[in-house]
Amino acid sequence: PSHETLVGKSVARLDPGQSVTVDRLGIQNAGGRVNDSSVGFLAITLDDLAIPAIIPVNLTINDLTVDEGTGIGPGTARVQVSLSTPSQRPVSVNYQALPDSALAGDDFLAVAGSLTFAPGDVAKFIHVPIVRDSIAETNETFRVQLSGPVNAGISRGEAIVTIRDDDKARISKIGRAHV
């Protein structure tokens, strides 16, 4: 580090990342006498200060339609959560899957947790297990809600997930009844 003595009304320009340390101020009074003391007055003027524009960062969650499916093990609904713009700070948000016409445990598994976006990330996914079956039924829905954001706002905080039934109704052939 370089040391510089500034006398009188002096100007020191600093490049980004440089700093100034003041060890001692010499104050000259009206009579020309220098009072060399560790107590004094220092005025700092910030000139040409570049303040970066603050761009609001908002979270959005998207609706989704998934097929119920059949087979062994659950399917998965991948619900996307997006940031409106990349953030320079980590962003986190809590989430929770809630029943609507779809029932937790019968049609989907209720999940809750949090997502964290690293600086520069713009999308993450919430994975909600879908319970598969072979029962013909109507389409059903559940909700995924966002809450408690850190370093962001929420512009759309609830998604509707539709579980599309892909089972065919079975019609049994019944013979003629005789009375």
Side-chain angles (χ1 to χ4, degrees):
S2 66
H3 297 282
E4 185 175 343
T5 302
L6 300 176
V7 180
K9 190 173 183 179
S10 299
V11 175
R13 297 214 182 266
L14 301 176
D15 292 324
Q18 287 186 313
S19 62
V20 172
T21 302
V22 177
D23 294 323
R24 175 167 242 135
L25 291 176
I27 308 295
Q28 184 172 358
N29 65 19
R33 184 167 173 238
V34 174
N35 178 13
D36 189 16
S37 172
S38 59
V39 177
F41 175 75
L42 174 66
I44 298 174
T45 303
L46 298 176
D47 194 8
D48 298 328
L49 180 65
I51 299 175
I54 297 174
I55 300 171
V57 176
N58 287 303
L59 292 149
T60 299
I61 188 167
N62 299 323
D63 292 341
L64 178 68
T65 298
V66 296
D67 288 330
E68 178 183 59
T70 58
I72 298 173
T76 302
R78 289 178 27 127
V79 184
Q80 184 173 344
V81 179
S82 303
L83 292 178
S84 58
T85 186
S87 177
Q88 294 180 0
R89 298 183 294 178
V91 170
S92 63
V93 67
N94 299 322
Y95 64 85
Q96 182 176 13
L98 301 166
D100 199 14
S101 61
L103 300 176
D106 290 343
D107 300 306
F108 73 99
L109 300 181
V111 295
S114 65
L115 292 177
T116 300
F117 293 77
D121 286 350
V122 293
K124 294 283 182 184
F125 291 91
I126 299 168
H127 298 269
V128 182
I130 303 298
V131 177
R132 298 177 180 185
D133 66 36
S134 57
I135 301 168
E137 54 194 344
T138 60
N139 293 345
E140 298 168 310
T141 60
F142 64 90
R143 299 171 287 129
V144 180
Q145 290 182 339
L146 301 179
S147 63
V150 175
N151 293 328
I154 296 178
S155 60
R156 184 167 192 257
E158 182 174 280
I160 302 297
V161 178
T162 301
I163 302 172
R164 183 174 38 225
D165 185 63
D166 54 3
D167 301 310
K168 304 285 186 218
R170 295 177 195 198
I171 300 174
S172 298
K173 188 174 184 180
I174 301 175
R176 292 186 180 186
H178 297 280
V179 180

